[in-house]
Structures are given as structure tokens and as C-alpha cells.
Amino acid sequence: MNYANDHIRNVMLAGHSGSGKTTLAEAMLYLTKGTDRFGRVEDGNTVCDFDPEEIKRHASLSLALAPVEYDGVKINLIDTPGLFDFEVGQQEAIGAAESVLIAVSARSGLTVGVQKAYKLAIKNGKSRMVYIGKVDAEHADFYKVFEDLKSSFGPSICPVVVPIEQAGGRVFLNLITMKAYSYAADGAAREVPVPSYGHRTEGLLEAMREAVAETDDALMEKFFEGEPFTQEELTEGVKNGVKTGAITPVFCGATTLLAGVDQVLWGIKKLLPSAARGAGAEATDRDGNPVEVECTPDAPVCAYVFKTVADPFVGKLSYVKVVAGELKADSPVVNSRTGEPERLGKLVALKGKKQTDISSIGAGDIGAITKMANTKTGDTLCAPSRVVAFPAPVFSKPTLSMAIKVKQKGDESKISGALQRLMEEDPSIGYSINTETVQQILSGLGEQHLDVVCAKLKSKFGVEVGLAEPRIAYRESIRKKCKAQGRHKKQTGGHGQFGDVWIEFEPTTEGDFIFEEKVFGGSVPKNFFPAVEKGLQEAVRHGVLAGYPVVGLKATLLDGSYHPVDSSEMAFKMAAKLAYKAALPEAGPILLEPIGSLKACVPGDVTGDIMGEVTKRRGRVLGMNPDEDNMQIVEAEVPVSEMHDFTNYLRQATQGRGSFTFDFVRYEPLPSMLEGKVIEDAKKFMDIKSDEE
């Protein structure tokens, strides 16, 4: 059934891992007859957690769609992961939602995941609503959690449904309708008399009236005069406040008992903005000028691709949110990124993994398109008459890198193609081939993230891999000037080979390798100069300490001799290499290690710990700058070899609040006490490499 855009709500479910997001989506589906059983995450039979890895780990790893039809309204629930390793799910979903429903556990309270979800909603200008679940759990305290939310997020936190414990059991009071409900075992609501006001309930009512008064001058005047608001005024006031971001309504419930879930559905319908009110977005035209795209059904079609699923058996599936117009299978569309027409596959409606063929996707609605070869996440599909592009999404950059070890010989060639498919699904995966260390490098947001990538490589593409700490690409250089002779003489039948050079080697800061000649009197003919340079260029690829490339080296050809018959380019090339091998051990060879620039954004109260950790890792703290939300940016330079597990450390030290970027800047001398181990490891690697060859 197609819904008009004012009867559609696109709601992203977000919050900390384990706060009950997937269970809430399951309860809404079950309560509205969208499913015939109430699935449990522990049993692996929920609609939204359908991937084998999600079932195995009892946690959401990527976003999933769960459309709920309630009282004439279609609610597109977008369930997102709460684990920080999979936060790309939230970054994808935020572009398709008008509202964010933040799930909070009445037992765990105000967690980092809740704070991050709230910040993400504000940053993207999305309406917010909070659901405090698990009020039936042991040690749950709704009112403490509510006060924590209020003190952390300010006066926008507005109570709408609150639990009241009384002799006959727990009831849920809707402060807008002033109706109270108790719930049967099957989730059926029964209206009960409103409990007598206690001091706490009166305070909550006053907090809601105050929040509503802030949304309208006339209501503010009425509030100050002490007049009560009507139910319509309260509803409209909260609705307007939610749209502008001035109000964040708070609901509650016991999800597994289906208690209070109907009130959440009521709140989504009554208070959250419809697609007609909130789905319009600003885009840019071909010339880069801003264009406002309104969510209207009769406009030229315009759709945003917010997620890609690349399955080796089913094919590619692109999740789209139609911002304007009506998208049909035969709609002519242009991909604004490529500028090329895009041929659409089948249109499908999604409910978890279940796909249902549909003829069209209306304005403000969400669906999926099969088999679009050239379309990727973040693309805009639009009518040729109006080609515009929505802003590209910003995804977390991978921070943990590991070397891939293939377990089955012959699978090396499959890895690249398989990872390219997975990278289409998950833009926070990185993959590269380090030709210097001869390793394939897989990057992600944490250990769990990389573990899941490896599991998918095996289950989807039949490639089994292990992970190891990647080798560091060191360099070598010299500390002092040294001169040496290289003499290559070989006599065979016929012409012999003869080349003789004197070369001076010295350190330089002007480049990796510089070649000059200062030959007098033609002792080495000019036509052999290029051969000498080429021989040295080949030689500097391998240093004399650990076999790493040599940098910061200047070589000057000073003298030599030649034979009119036996001298050749090859002979002088060999002579240059001999001079290099003779001189470098005497020129004070040293190892250089790569140094990176670290920018860590951390809460102010842990900056001392972070700076101490950087120093422990042989880093230099360069300074500290204040950032938004009481965060500090610690800037430092740290050796790359010391940063391998920094992702794990930072997450533990900041409880997931911190983030960082780390980029290579230059090479610096490796402390002499560490040279022995690096040389030993390099020798082992060279032995393994020669065995493989």
C-alpha cells in the first residue's frame, strides 16, 4: 500500500548497544500485526537481526528496515547498531530519517551510546525522541535516568509518558492525554483511573507545560497567567517543539512485556514530523548552486541512496529514500555523481531480509532497488530534467590495520575482489597492498569490526583468512661522509668487462637520493654516467643493516678508469654497486622509523591520561586545543610502530567517547637500543621471503 508523504514517518532507532533498539522494533511489529510472533535477540529470530553474524553475536552489525503500519500511518523504522565498531550504520541511516528515536535502558542509564546518538541527531538537524525501556528490570530507575537526561541535555527533555508504581501494579501515565494504562500479558492496554498526583508527577507536568510554553508566545502568556493548556495545545506545542528541536519528548515502557509500546507508536504518529514536513533537503545543482528539494509527489523524481548491500548470490541491493516525486521501475534517472543514466532493476519493499516486489516508491518513502551496477552509497538518482546532488555522507575512517594471512594457498587473488564487494557495503573498511612489506592490509574501526569482515569473507566468498600485526616499513640512511672504490673486472673468451669508479657518499636533507658527478680529465667517459646512476638507484633499494630502502643519500662520482674495449654500461653499473656496498658499512648506517601526526579528540577529564600514554609510546605531545562539547584535541607525533593498538586503548580510556586521526609525516632515526630487534625481524622476513620464492 502506498502512503501519502504526510502519513509517513522515517525514524532511526539509535542508542547504546544492549539498550533494546532491536527488541523495540520487534515489539512494534508484533503489536501492529506486522509479524505473527514476538522474536527475541537471544533466540536469533528477530526481523532486524537476520545476518548470520548478527544471530551468532546477538547484536546488530548493520542497519535494517522494519516498516510498521499503525493507525493509517507508515513508520519506516531504521534499526541501527549500537556497537561503536559498527557506527557506520548510524551514519548511513541519519540521511534517510527525519527523526531519531533514542533507546535508553532504565537500568544502564545515560551511556556513551545515548550521548553520541543525541549529538548525531543535533548535528544533522533531526528531531529527537527518547524511549526509556526496561523499566521492569531489576534496579531500573526511570526517574533517575530522566533527571540524568535533563541535566545532560538541558531543558529540551520533556516527559510525555511516565511509569507510576502503585499497589495494584505499574501503570503508565500519558501527560498529554492525561490517561493512564495498565497492560495485559499480550500487550493489550487497559485504561485505568489516573493515579492521584504525587509531588513527582506534579513536577513532571509542570516541566512539560514549561517546555510547551517555550514554543509559542501565546502559550507562554497563558502559562504565566496560570491557565491550563488543552490537550490540543499540548499536542501541537510538543509537535512544534519537536520539529524545531526545542523539545525532546520522553516515553517509557517495558518492551519485552509490550507495556507502553503502543504509547510510543502514538507518540511517533502524533509528535514526530512526517516526511512531508521533514523530508525536504538542500542539494546542489550541476553548477554547485544550492537547491531546495521539497518532498512533494508531483515534483521531478529525486532519490538518495543511503545503503548498499553486495551479496555474491543475490546481487547488489541499493536502499533508497525518495525525497521528491514517485520512483517507478521504468523511471528515467541520472546518477548525479557520474552524470550517466542509470538503469533501474526491480523495486522492492524491505522488512528485515524479506523483499516484496512493488511498482513504485512514493515521495518521502523508503525502499530498495536491485542490480544497479554503477550506483554506490551516497549517490543521488534524479530525473534528467533536474539533476541535483545531496551532500555526501561522512563516514568514520578506519583506525585499526592488520595484515591478512591467507590460510588456503591460491586464495590470495580472491581477496581483493571479495573485499571490494564488502567495502561497497561498509565504507569504513579499508584495504591496501603494501608492496614494500609484501602484505595485504585490512583496516577497520576495531577488533570486532575486522573479526566480522573476516567471518564474512569466509561465509560469503569462501576465503578463509587470519590477521597479524602489520610489518613497519622502515628506512635506512647514513650519518657521515665516506668514499669508496668499485672495480668490476671480468675476463672471459672474447671481450671482457671492465668498470672502475670512485664514489663519495654523504647524508643529505634535499631528497631521498641525489646523484652528481665531478669527474676531471675524462677518467670516466660521460656516456657511462647514466649507467653509474642507474646502478646506484638499484642499490639504494636495499640497505646494509636490515635491507630497507636507503634515503637521504647523496652520491658523487669523483674518479675512475675505463678500458677502450672491455668497458660497457653494464660494467660501470656493477662497479657503482660495488662502491655502494663498500662505502655504506663505513658511513655510519642507521635505521629510520616512520613518524605519524596524531590528533586525538578526547573528553577534557582524560587528557592527562592520554598525554601520558602518548609519552609512554615514545611520542611527543605538541599541544592541546579545546573542541566542542567539553572535548579537547591532543596533538602529538608518535612512531607508527607504537600505534598499532591505540584504537583499543583510546576506546577503553574514554569509554568510546574519543576518536583520533593518524597520518604519516616523516622518517626519524630509530633509537639505537631498538635497532637489534628490527634487524633480527627483517632477517627472518627475508628468509621467509626467499623460501617462498
Side-chain angles (χ1 to χ4, degrees), residues 417-468:
L419 279 172
Q420 290 300 329
R421 300 288 290 276
L422 290 180
M423 286 162 72
E424 284 185 64
E425 278 193 9
D426 184 349
S428 62
I429 298 172
Y431 170 69
S432 61
I433 297 174
N434 190 324
T435 52
E436 196 173 319
T437 61
V438 202
Q439 287 181 317
Q440 293 173 296
I441 305 296
L442 176 65
S443 305
L445 300 180
E447 287 180 344
Q448 203 169 358
H449 188 202
L450 295 185
D451 191 31
V452 167
V453 172
C454 292
K456 286 186 175 180
L457 280 173
K458 185 180 178 183
S459 62
K460 287 189 173 188
F461 302 95
V463 180
E464 194 171 354
V465 301
L467 297 176

Side-chain angles (χ1 to χ4, degrees), residues 9 31 111 117 124 169 189 220 247 344 402 445 579 658:
R9 309 284 185 274
L31 209 57
T111 51
N124 289 272
M220 179 65 83
I247 288 179
L344 305 181
M402 298 288 279
L445 300 180

Side-chain angles (χ1 to χ4, degrees), residues 163-386:
I164 296 176
E165 306 289 341
Q166 54 179 23
R170 183 187 301 110
V171 299
F172 294 85
L173 174 63
N174 187 318
L175 299 174
I176 292 179
T177 62
M178 285 313 296
K179 289 181 180 178
Y181 300 92
S182 66
Y183 291 86
D186 63 353
R190 182 171 64 88
E191 192 174 337
V192 296
V194 175
S196 58
Y197 293 159
H199 171 70
R200 176 176 274 165
T201 312
E202 193 61 58
L204 291 168
L205 276 166
E206 193 64 16
M208 185 180 66
R209 292 190 194 109
E210 192 174 338
V212 168
E214 294 280 354
T215 65
D216 184 85
D217 290 342
L219 292 176
M220 179 65 83
E221 197 173 314
K222 198 171 180 182
F223 175 73
F224 278 126
E225 288 172 1
E227 289 183 47
F229 295 147
T230 64
Q231 185 183 323
E232 289 72 23
E233 285 174 332
L234 284 172
T235 306
E236 200 58 32
V238 174
K239 185 177 178 181
N240 290 334
V242 169
K243 177 71 177 74
T244 62
I247 288 179
T248 303
V250 177
F251 287 71
C252 69
T255 318
T256 53
L257 304 177
L258 295 170
V261 176
D262 61 329
Q263 295 298 303
V264 181
L265 289 163
W266 173 88
I268 290 173
K269 178 186 174 180
K270 291 286 186 183
L271 306 178
L272 294 187
S274 67
R277 288 183 77 194
E282 191 172 276
T284 52
D285 63 17
R286 281 173 167 158
D287 300 321
N289 300 315
V291 178
E292 192 68 34
V293 180
E294 292 186 9
C295 182
T296 53
D298 51 359
V301 71
C302 193
Y304 170 70
V305 180
F306 64 92
K307 171 145 187 83
T308 304
V309 175
D311 191 284
F313 308 108
V314 180
K316 198 166 167 182
L317 192 65
S318 302
Y319 290 43
V320 295
K321 192 289 189 67
V322 177
V323 180
E326 185 180 17
L327 186 69
K328 297 180 179 177
D330 58 356
S331 296
V333 294
V334 171
N335 184 325
S336 61
R337 176 179 57 85
T338 63
E340 299 294 322
E342 193 77 57
R343 187 177 174 184
L344 305 181
K346 285 193 306 183
L347 302 185
V348 294
L350 295 171
K351 183 188 284 184
K353 66 179 175 182
K354 185 184 175 188
Q355 299 178 15
T356 308
D357 290 359
I358 51 176
S359 58
S360 66
I361 306 171
D365 208 351
I366 287 174
I369 311 169
T370 63
K371 297 178 181 173
M372 287 200 298
N374 302 316
T375 296
K376 64 180 189 179
T377 301
D379 282 355
T380 305
L381 304 173
C382 37
S385 60
R386 181 177 67 168

Side-chain angles (χ1 to χ4, degrees), residues 36-106:
D36 53 9
R37 69 173 178 189
F38 188 5
R40 284 163 35 95
V41 172
E42 296 80 6
D43 296 339
N45 59 359
T46 62
V47 169
C48 292
D49 287 355
F50 56 84
D51 185 89
E53 283 301 309
E54 293 178 317
I55 294 167
K56 174 181 153 189
R57 295 166 191 270
H58 303 310
S60 301
L61 305 179
S62 60
L63 73 79
L65 290 176
V68 173
E69 297 183 73
Y70 165 77
D71 196 19
V73 168
K74 182 182 182 187
I75 303 167
N76 287 315
L77 291 174
I78 311 171
D79 184 25
T80 64
L83 293 167
F84 300 142
D85 274 16
F86 304 94
E87 63 186 7
V88 71
Q90 293 191 6
Q91 293 159 356
E92 290 170 329
I94 197 73
E98 287 88 61
S99 311
V100 179
L101 175 54
I102 303 168
V104 185
S105 164

